[in-house]
Amino acid sequence: MLRSVRCLGAQCKRREARGNPRMTDKPLTDIAFSNFDITPALLQGLEQAGFSRCTPIQAMTLPIALQGRDVAGQAQTGTGKTLAFLVACMNRLLTKPALANRRAADPRAMILAPTRELAIQIAKDAEKFGSHLGLKFALVYGGVDYEKQKHTLEQGADIIIATPGRLIDYVKQGVVSLHACEVCILDEADRMFDLGFIKDLRYLMRKLPRLDERQTLLFSATLSHRVLELAYEHMNDPEKVLIETETITAARVRQLLYFPAMEEKLPLLISLLSRIEDGRCMVFVNTKVWVERVARALEKAHYRVGVLSGDVPQKRRQSLLAKFQRGELEILVATDVAARGLHIDGVSHVYNFDLPFDAPDYVHRIGRTARLGAEGDAISFACELYAQGLPEIEAFIEQKIPTAPVTSELLEAIPRQPRAKLEGAESIADIYAEVKALQPANKRGSSSGSGSKSGSSSNKPRPPRSDKPAYSKPHAEQPKPAASVDVANAEPSTRKPRRPRRKPVDWTQQSPASVAVANASNPKPSAIKRLGSQIKSWFSSSKS
C-alpha cells in the first residue's frame, strides 16, 4: 500500500505559477469565468453574485476539475479556493447524469469541513449563486438541530455540506446513503487528514463509490507530504496545483513579533489595541480558559468583545460571529476554531496572544486578514511558555519575523472612552454564565480548579455526606460491648448457615475394606509422574 501511494505521488503532475506576475502579484487574473465550459445558468449566478474574473487558484484548477479529474489545490489564504470547488461541483451536477443506482433522496456530492463555522460559511457561499439552479443543499453539523437536519436529509439533497462527526451519525443510522455520491470535496484538507479526523474520513470514504466513479477535490493553504500521501489513497490519478509565491503567508500581511513576559501580555495587548483608531481585530489564544480571561480584560478596557471557542454553545457561537461580521463587535477572541477558512471583511489586525502549537496554524491564523488583495497586520507574542515553537514557525514560513522591543511606554495604554452598549448586547459574564450552566456538574467542579477529571463517565452530582462517622476498625485492646439479645423475641437470622468443616480421616482406625475402597477411588499416579519422581530420586542420590 505504501508503494502504491508513493507511485501515485510520483505520477501526480504539478502546475506552478512561479514567474508569472499576473498570477501572483494581483488578487484577480485576466481570465474570466466565461472562458471556461460552464453552464450558462451557473455563469449567470456567478455574475449576479459579483464574480466575473478568476483568482490564480481558480484559473489553474477549473480547467482540470471541469473535466472531471481529481485535483489537490494549494494556495494562500483568502484566494478563492471555496469558489473554485463549488463551481466545479455544481457544473458537474448540472451537466452530467447521476449514477444509475442513485435513489431520489441520495446526495450526489459531499463537501466536508473540519469546523462547524467553516461548514456554515461554505453553505452560505453555495446558496449565494446556486440557489436558482434547482439544486438542494443540506447543512449538517453538530451541536444544534439534530431532528431538523435529519428531516432535511430524509427529504433528499443534491449536495451535503457537513462536518464528519454528525454525518457519520446519520450514515450509521441509515438516514442517508453515500453510495451514489459522485463528488467528494475536502476543504482545509490538512486538518481533515489530521489524526483527529483520519478514522472518520476513512469511514466515509469507504461508503462512497469507487475511485473511477467519483471525483475527489481537496484544497488547503498548507499541504504537507504526509497529508498528500494520505490523500492520494482516496484519489484517482490526482493533479496537484500549487500557486507558489515569494512567501507562504499572504504577501500583504505585515508581521511583527514581541517577546513579553507572561504577566506583560495582557497590558501589551490592551496598549496596542488602544493605538488602533478603527477596524476589527481577532485575538487568537491556545486555551479556552485564557479566551475567557482575555475577553474579560478587554471588556473591562471598554471594548465590545465576542468569544469563539469549543465550550461556547453552537448557537451562541453563530450569533457572536454574525455580530462580529456586521461590525457590532470590535474584537473577537478565539481559539483555532476560527483560524480555518473563515472570511470576514474588514479584519485589519490579527493578534497571536499565544504562538500556536503547530506551524501551519500560524499561516491560517494570520490569513484572517489581508484577504483578496487587502492589507493587514499580524502581531504575535512569544512568551516564555510558547516561544519554543518560534523556530519551527519561521522554518515553515521560510522567513524571519521582524521583532520589536517591549518598552515601559508600550505597556501603558492610551485612555479610552467607554463605548455605548448596543441594544441586546450581552457581557462576557453573561456568556460564560450560560456556558457554566450547560456544563455537567463534574466539569463545573473541574473548571474551578478542583483538579477532577473533565472526562468522567458519570455526570451525576456527588451525594451529600452522611452525618454518621466513617467506619473505623476497633483496636484489639478495646473490648466489644456486650449486646443483650432477647432470644425469645429475636427474629430468625437470614444469613445462610456455614457448612460444617469435614474432619480429617484417621486411616489407622479404618477397617481393611474401607481402606481398599479409598485406594480404589485414588488410583496410582500415571507413568509420566512415576518416571519424573524416579529421575528426581536419581539426582537427589547423586548429590548425597
Side-chain angles (χ1 to χ4, degrees):
M1 178 61 69
L2 182 59
R3 182 177 301 175
S4 64
V5 171
R6 288 181 177 176
C7 180
L8 285 173
Q11 293 172 357
C12 173
K13 302 174 184 177
R14 179 172 174 174
R15 295 191 176 188
E16 301 177 0
R18 177 180 289 177
N20 188 344
R22 291 192 309 166
M23 301 290 284
T24 57
D25 295 345
K26 298 179 181 180
L28 295 176
T29 67
D30 298 332
I31 303 174
F33 285 102
S34 57
N35 294 356
F36 301 115
D37 187 15
I38 300 176
T39 181
L42 183 55
L43 278 176
Q44 181 182 357
L46 289 171
E47 292 176 358
Q48 292 177 354
F51 302 108
S52 58
R53 291 188 297 157
C54 299
T55 63
I57 187 64
Q58 295 163 2
M60 295 289 285
T61 56
L62 283 177
I64 308 168
L66 291 175
Q67 297 176 12
R69 297 160 59 190
D70 291 4
V71 176
Q74 178 180 351
Q76 289 179 338
T77 55
T79 55
K81 295 184 289 293
T82 302
L83 187 63
F85 64 70
L86 284 178
V87 170
C89 175
M90 292 183 184
N91 190 74
R92 178 184 176 111
L93 300 189
L94 293 172
T95 57
K96 293 187 177 182
L99 296 180
N101 58 348
R102 179 181 182 258
R103 295 170 299 187
D106 292 337
R108 297 183 62 190
M110 175 183 68
I111 303 175
L112 293 179
T115 63
R116 302 168 184 175
E117 286 73 21
L118 182 55
I120 294 171
Q121 179 174 289
I122 294 172
K124 290 180 179 179
D125 293 341
E127 292 175 355
K128 187 181 299 182
F129 63 89
S131 57
H132 69 287
L133 300 175
L135 299 174
K136 293 190 292 183
F137 303 93
L139 179 59
V140 176
Y141 60 94
V144 292
D145 301 333
Y146 188 90
E147 292 298 329
K148 181 179 178 180
Q149 295 175 10
K150 181 179 178 180
H151 178 71
T152 303
L153 291 175
E154 290 174 342
Q155 294 298 315
D158 297 300
I159 301 175
I160 291 180
I161 304 167
T163 54
R166 176 63 66 87
L167 182 58
I168 287 176
D169 194 7
Y170 289 134
V171 170
K172 288 183 177 180
Q173 293 185 32
V175 177
V176 62
S177 175
L178 304 177
H179 72 282
C181 193
E182 57 193 278
V183 181
C184 174
I185 299 172
L186 308 179
D187 195 15
E188 299 298 338
D190 58 335
R191 182 63 70 184
M192 295 298 300
F193 280 96
D194 199 0
L195 296 178
F197 291 98
I198 186 62
K199 291 184 179 179
D200 295 344
L201 199 57
R202 281 175 170 158
Y203 175 84
L204 291 174
M205 289 294 186
R206 289 195 297 267
K207 302 296 181 180
L208 297 176
R210 300 194 313 267
L211 292 179
D212 57 348
E213 293 182 350
R214 73 168 191 261
Q215 181 182 15
T216 305
L217 308 174
L218 63 88
F219 289 83
S220 183
T222 53
L223 289 175
S224 65
H225 293 293
R226 176 180 175 274
V227 170
L228 289 175
E229 284 184 357
L230 290 171
Y232 293 153
E233 295 180 16
H234 308 285
M235 302 181 75
N236 181 26
D237 192 18
E239 184 158 350
K240 181 180 178 182
V241 177
L242 173 61
I243 306 298
E244 287 195 342
T245 54
E246 294 296 330
T247 58
I248 295 178
T249 56
R252 297 177 183 268
V253 177
R254 296 179 291 269
Q255 302 177 62
L256 191 61
L257 180 67
Y258 290 97
F259 290 92
M262 192 67 184
E263 61 273 11
E264 294 175 337
K265 291 169 70 173
L266 273 175
L268 179 60
L269 176 64
I270 296 174
S271 174
L272 293 175
L273 288 171
S274 67
R275 288 164 169 77
I276 300 175
E277 295 182 0
D278 290 313
R280 280 171 283 181
C281 305
M282 296 185 70
V283 180
F284 285 101
V285 186
N286 284 348
T287 62
K288 294 180 286 187
V289 173
W290 272 97
V291 168
E292 181 180 359
R293 293 181 184 178
V294 172
R296 288 181 183 271
L298 295 178
E299 186 181 57
K300 191 176 180 180
H302 310 299
Y303 290 97
R304 295 194 292 267
V305 187
V307 292
L308 205 65
S309 61
D311 55 348
V312 179
Q314 182 60 36
K315 289 186 177 180
R316 176 68 62 186
R317 285 159 60 175
Q318 291 177 224
S319 64
L320 290 172
L321 184 59
K323 289 180 180 180
F324 184 66
Q325 290 173 329
R326 293 194 300 265
E328 299 176 10
L329 299 176
E330 302 169 273
I331 303 172
L332 185 66
V333 184
T335 58
D336 284 321
V337 167
R340 297 272 176 162
L342 293 184
H343 177 71
I344 303 171
D345 292 325
V347 176
S348 60
H349 290 71
V350 170
Y351 292 90
N352 285 312
F353 188 82
D354 301 325
L355 284 180
F357 296 113
D358 299 324
D361 289 337
Y362 177 83
V363 176
H364 289 278
R365 283 184 180 186
I366 70 174
R368 298 313 100 206
T369 186
R371 299 182 69 83
L372 288 178
E375 294 185 352
D377 293 274
I379 301 172
S380 304
F381 299 162
C383 64
E384 61 270 22
L385 190 60
Y386 298 108
Q388 67 269 20
L390 180 60
E392 182 183 354
I393 292 173
E394 291 182 333
F396 183 79
I397 65 177
E398 299 176 352
Q399 59 177 306
K400 294 285 290 185
I401 304 175
T403 61
V406 180
T407 61
S408 57
E409 294 81 7
L410 195 59
L411 295 176
E412 294 291 334
I414 299 175
R416 177 184 174 88
Q417 295 295 328
R419 298 290 182 95
K421 190 174 182 180
L422 298 177
E423 184 179 356
E426 293 183 335
S427 65
I428 298 299
D430 296 334
I431 295 172
Y432 278 95
E434 179 185 359
V435 171
K436 293 178 181 178
L438 295 175
Q439 285 180 346
N442 60 337
K443 288 192 176 182
R444 288 200 299 268
S446 63
S447 62
S448 61
S450 63
S452 61
K453 296 181 180 180
S454 61
S456 175
S457 59
S458 174
N459 294 334
K460 297 181 180 179
R462 175 184 287 183
R465 290 190 175 185
S466 174
D467 295 333
K468 296 180 181 180
Y471 172 78
S472 60
K473 187 176 181 179
H475 295 288
E477 62 271 11
Q478 293 180 352
K480 294 183 181 180
S484 59
V485 180
D486 187 359
V487 179
N489 298 326
E491 296 181 358
S493 176
T494 58
R495 183 176 177 179
K496 188 176 180 179
R498 180 181 296 178
R499 291 182 60 184
R501 183 176 297 177
R502 294 181 60 182
K503 295 181 180 181
V505 179
D506 187 4
W507 296 103
T508 59
Q509 304 296 327
Q510 300 296 323
S511 63
S514 60
V515 174
V517 172
N519 290 336
S521 60
N522 297 319
K524 294 181 180 181
S526 63
I528 296 178
K529 288 186 177 181
R530 292 199 302 271
L531 179 60
S533 59
Q534 186 175 2
I535 294 174
K536 185 183 290 185
S537 63
W538 290 345
F539 280 97
S540 60
S541 61
S542 62
K543 289 181 180 180
S544 60

